Amino acid sequence: MLRSVTEIPATFRCIFNGFPYFNYVQSKALDDVLYTNKNFVASAPTGSGKTVLFELAIIRLLMESTEHWQNVKVVYMAPIKALCNQQYQNWKQRFGYLGLNCKELTGDTEVDDIVEIQNCHLILTTPEKWDSMTRKWKDSCLLRLIQLFLIDEVHVVKDTQRGATLEAVISRMKAMSTCLFNDQSQRRRTRFVAVSATIPNISDIACWLSDSEGPATCLKMDESHRPVQLRKVVLGFPCSSHQTEFKFDISLNYKMANIIQTYSDQKPSLVFCSTRKGVQQSAEVLAKDARFIMSIDHKKRLMKYADALVDSKLRVLVMHGVAYHHAGIDGSDRKVIEDAFTKGDLPVLFTTTTLAMGMNLPAHLVVIKSTAHYVQGTCEDYSEADILQMIGRAGRPQFDTSATAVIMTKIQTKDKYIKFLNGTKTIESSLHLNLLEHLNAEIVLHTISNVKMALDWIRSTFLYVRVIKNPTHYGFPSELSKPGIEAKLQDLCLKNLKALSGVGLITMDKDININPTETGKLMARYSVAFDTIQHFTKISGLESLSELVSMISKSQEFRDIQLRVNEKRILNTLNKDKNRTTIRFPMEGKVKNSEMKVNCLIQAQLGCIPIQDFGLSQDTSKIFKNGVRVSKYLAEFLSHLPRNNFAALINALTLAKCFRAKLWENSPYILRQLDKIGLSLATAMVNAGLTTFRKIEQTNPRELELIANRHPPFGNQIRESVFALPKYDLQLEQLPVYSTSAAEISVTVNMKNFDQLIAKNTSLCGHYVTLILGDCDNNVLLFQTLFDSVFLKSGTWSRKISIARAAKGEEISTSLISSKYVGLDIHQRFSTFYPGKPCGDEICGPESPLTITGKGSSSTVYESPSGIGVISKEHRGQVTTPTKKTNCTNAPDEGHQTSVCPTTVITKGDFGNVTPCAAPVTAWPSVFTGDEVAQDDFPIDIMGLASTMNLPQNVCYTPQNFFKNKISEEESSLSFLGDDDCTESEDCLGIFDGLF
């Protein structure tokens, strides 16, 4: 007996305006879903109206809630984004009428979006996205509020790609519900409602979703209860062992006309093909082979559709009653084709599996042309979830009472699909195939802290339910008892835990207590694949930017990016072409695999090279969604490694920012980062020479409008946007600490436009900069993340650090890298001063009697301590040098100018040949530092130095005996005198700077 919609409270009947009665499946489930709070699982044919069961469960929650739905939080989870989007569009309108807010959460969502979903009632998400969210559930009050969890297509749990994540997420939500239920402040558990296609072991799903009251309520309906009766046909075609999948697929094109004529009943037909090229080829063959009976009005409608199309090939096919549809065609063309097919004007539509997953375009006849497709260059069968989705398009309830689905496959696999379509194939878990990533996530959450807890976690999964019933499927002997199976599962856990420990993701002690490492936490936070982690552990620390791009291109996260034959010409042109703009780091040879394709598309996007092919644009978008996440992981991963990876770390930080900004770090197209500025406007600015933020700030607003061909106040808005960006100043100063092996540096970062930002109350939305210092030995000396919220309090940040002397040089590289914007970074080099050579060399000075201070900027200029004059290289020509001239025997050898040499010059080789006090004795700075004498070096007056340092004056000092005197750090100082009054009797020092 069918139940009436009037049973629903009047407030909620608007949700079901389209029909007066619930169908048989919905009527059977009504009491359990609407009038109880028990967990519920339904198995019913595709197209039987299972979505209504979710809506009834939501209404049950609303009936128990207060007005305005303040405490209502519902999560709907579907295996793919397209289904989430379809349901979002549906529920946004239906439940919006009741005042409920919907939010789709399927991409790489920013912090702002997370804040936004806290104010919504219905959250629609995918397992992958919800996985990343729930990994932080202990720290999020949002997840504690969830009262209803809806799971669509739960049979996807068997899918080898998406199934493991779905299973892990549901198991985690169960654990969260139990934990919160045990907390007295939580009144009730989270309710789980799941729906599935027809499967024989739906009771196993019910057992998995059990609670303290027992298994979930289970409703199982067979195909006879489908509103539109579906006829299922499996056709097997000969395929010899020598025939490739590609040739077999082509051979099916010539069978298509006969199949459509036999099964379509002159009604709309939908044909699924494995590739975009196959879609177009099949459509072209059918247009030649088939003739559709159409009226004159029908032909006129088709001509009208054809005139609206951009694709010329598609235009010709539409006039014959045939069309194709895939992600590679223009968006406007897709919309026209969808409209024509929905209205029944287009007899046959060829498409890829994307349409089955995303678009709600039902047909009377659905044909699956070949059950195999290419994944990463290898041929694989469609997953059963994919096939069910495609078959689900068959049947139009508003037009048909019956529909047909035809599967075209090899004769060898015909029986397999007959058995599958009859719903007699048991679904199994795939968690054991992807256990590493999910074990690590639970360890980071502290759900697992030892092997016993790991086994407890396994017991909460669908894997445990099935391995007890069917151990042979999971590689265990069939005769094993339950304790024996649990022992095998424990061994499986140990094997995976050792693998995690082997790459430093976890630590295990003798008692097998488990703790996550920082790298393991990063893996969980950014949901990075284990294979990608293994790949990154091979980093040497010296990688260049191009090498890191190549490394990221090989990540497991891009495994679904395929290289298509028709894309090779475009990609090879982007890689190398003398007549066009090409990528920054060309690859050797031709583009021949998906890794090279990913690399090429990354560089093309960062280089602002237009990609005209729509399919490649779609792939680029997908690459950058994952690339942002992977590049951030790489940068943070390197920051936690031992500190001898400065080169790789600074390039990883730069690359992570480039992925976010979609620009190279040295790109002139900086205006693309501002709102409402696209490539064309940014290009106009570049052509006008406006390639930095500073130049834009200095340009008149009217001139900006003239360049951009825009009206006022566009120019003012652009300048205001640039003025609102944080600007920084970086200073380094060496402090007077005396050592031949270490130096103390003061690092100061100032926000230059602090006053402006404070006056305008500017919000910088979580922006931060990373300060990193490195030496010539590739060591990281300082790594500091500085959020703008810190600068907005005082405008400055500073720190003192001690740095060890590097073996390969005394220069420090300093960088301040923005997390978000290209064009704000600061890179400087700073030379530190160490007196004497490091111990172990020919000369080893004492704990240094010499100090020098300096500040670094983009061109390094050194300054002395207060009260001591320093003459920079830029001003050296303005200095009046001492006029006293003496015999300078070393001038030719040392390369200095005798005209400015105030006295005798001593080198290391002359230490023993100098008569003390015979004349003012000087020595080149190389005596103290061990460096080679430079062309513009000035000698140091040793006697003058001794006098300045208050050493006894009754001793005639030479470089040999100078260092033998014990000088305390308090007494040590270095004065620089360089005026015209310097005479023989005075302690006169040579003028020098920039030497150390």
Side-chain angles (χ1 to χ4, degrees), residues 8-79:
I8 306 297
T11 307
F12 308 111
R13 289 176 195 164
C14 59
I15 304 298
F16 309 107
N17 275 340
F19 49 88
Y21 292 94
F22 295 108
N23 67 27
Y24 183 77
V25 173
Q26 297 157 359
S27 298
K28 288 285 287 184
L30 189 78
D31 289 335
D32 290 319
V33 177
L34 188 63
Y35 299 121
T36 74
N37 287 319
K38 286 198 66 176
N39 293 346
F40 181 84
V41 177
S43 170
T46 304
S48 58
K50 296 189 291 289
T51 301
V52 169
L53 304 186
F54 290 147
E55 294 166 349
L56 289 171
I58 295 171
I59 290 173
R60 166 69 181 181
L61 181 61
L62 296 179
M63 288 165 58
E64 293 186 325
S65 303
T66 58
E67 284 192 44
H68 307 301
W69 327 125
Q70 291 181 353
N71 298 319
V72 171
K73 273 287 187 291
V74 180
V75 173
Y76 165 87
M77 188 167 69

Side-chain angles (χ1 to χ4, degrees), residues 536-601:
F536 287 166
T537 56
K538 300 174 184 177
I539 286 178
S540 68
L542 297 169
E543 280 77 9
S544 64
L545 195 60
S546 62
E547 289 171 331
L548 291 183
V549 172
S550 178
M551 179 169 283
I552 284 181
S553 300
K554 298 174 183 177
S555 298
Q556 187 74 3
E557 283 69 17
F558 306 126
R559 64 185 180 275
D560 59 338
I561 301 295
Q562 301 176 34
L563 176 63
R564 303 176 184 90
V565 176
N566 63 318
E567 296 170 342
K568 290 183 178 181
R569 182 182 59 81
I570 300 172
L571 293 170
N572 285 319
T573 301
L574 289 172
N575 187 39
K576 293 177 184 177
D577 193 314
K578 295 180 180 180
N579 302 317
R580 300 184 184 183
T581 303
T582 56
I583 60 177
R584 182 177 178 180
F585 305 115
M587 297 170 285
E588 291 188 8
K590 300 285 187 180
V591 176
K592 55 183 177 291
N593 55 47
S594 60
E595 294 169 4
M596 296 180 76
K597 172 183 173 177
V598 171
N599 189 326
C600 190
L601 292 179

